[in-house]
Amino acid sequence: MDIRCRKVTCKYNDRFVCKAKDILVNDKVICSTFENDENKKEVQDVTKHLFERKPDFAPQRDSKALEIKCKAKCLFNHNGQCVSNGITLNSIKEKPYCVSFLGK
């Protein structure tokens, strides 16, 4: 599973890859695992310049190394576990929404 996070101010974010032990997406489709790190600064969205320069991504993390729990009414929620091929969290400043969400 490809796990990408655009919340660069999260303490678990390492070059757009989540390094948390587990991830919980709540019933409002927000990552409850998110913890703001005051020492990290917001950076520009690298997708704006994707074809001009290669972004620095950390190596993909195997989903077997962490548990992804989900409470959202999502197509990929199977008994509280995420069964999606990938999960991506947005970069909007307000809340870390799961943009991989597909409602049932």
Side-chain angles (χ1 to χ4, degrees), residues 4-26:
R4 295 290 172 196
C5 181
R6 296 179 186 157
K7 297 298 285 185
V8 295
T9 60
C10 181
K11 81 177 207 175
Y12 300 112
N13 189 315
D14 175 22
R15 295 172 289 151
F16 304 99
V17 175
C18 182
K19 297 296 183 176
K21 288 183 181 179
D22 53 46
I23 297 171
L24 171 62
V25 176
N26 68 22

Side-chain angles (χ1 to χ4, degrees), residues 3-48:
I3 303 160
R4 295 290 172 196
C5 181
R6 296 179 186 157
K7 297 298 285 185
V8 295
T9 60
C10 181
K11 81 177 207 175
Y12 300 112
N13 189 315
D14 175 22
R15 295 172 289 151
F16 304 99
V17 175
C18 182
K19 297 296 183 176
K21 288 183 181 179
D22 53 46
I23 297 171
L24 171 62
V25 176
N26 68 22
D27 60 342
K28 293 181 175 39
V29 195
I30 296 171
C31 178
S32 297
T33 310
F34 172 79
E35 287 186 41
N36 195 42
D37 184 344
E38 296 296 328
N39 296 321
K40 290 185 176 181
K41 296 179 181 177
E42 187 74 38
V43 295
Q44 277 190 330
D45 185 2
V46 296
T47 58
K48 291 179 184 177

Side-chain angles (χ1 to χ4, degrees), residues 1 7 12-13 18-19 21 23 38-39 42 46 53 60 64 71 75 77 81 83 86 89 95-97 100 103:
M1 177 187 284
K7 297 298 285 185
Y12 300 112
N13 189 315
C18 182
K19 297 296 183 176
K21 288 183 181 179
I23 297 171
E38 296 296 328
N39 296 321
E42 187 74 38
V46 296
R53 61 179 175 251
Q60 182 174 326
K64 293 176 185 175
K71 294 184 178 181
L75 181 68
N77 183 344
Q81 298 290 322
V83 295
L89 298 177
K95 297 177 183 174
Y97 287 100
S100 307

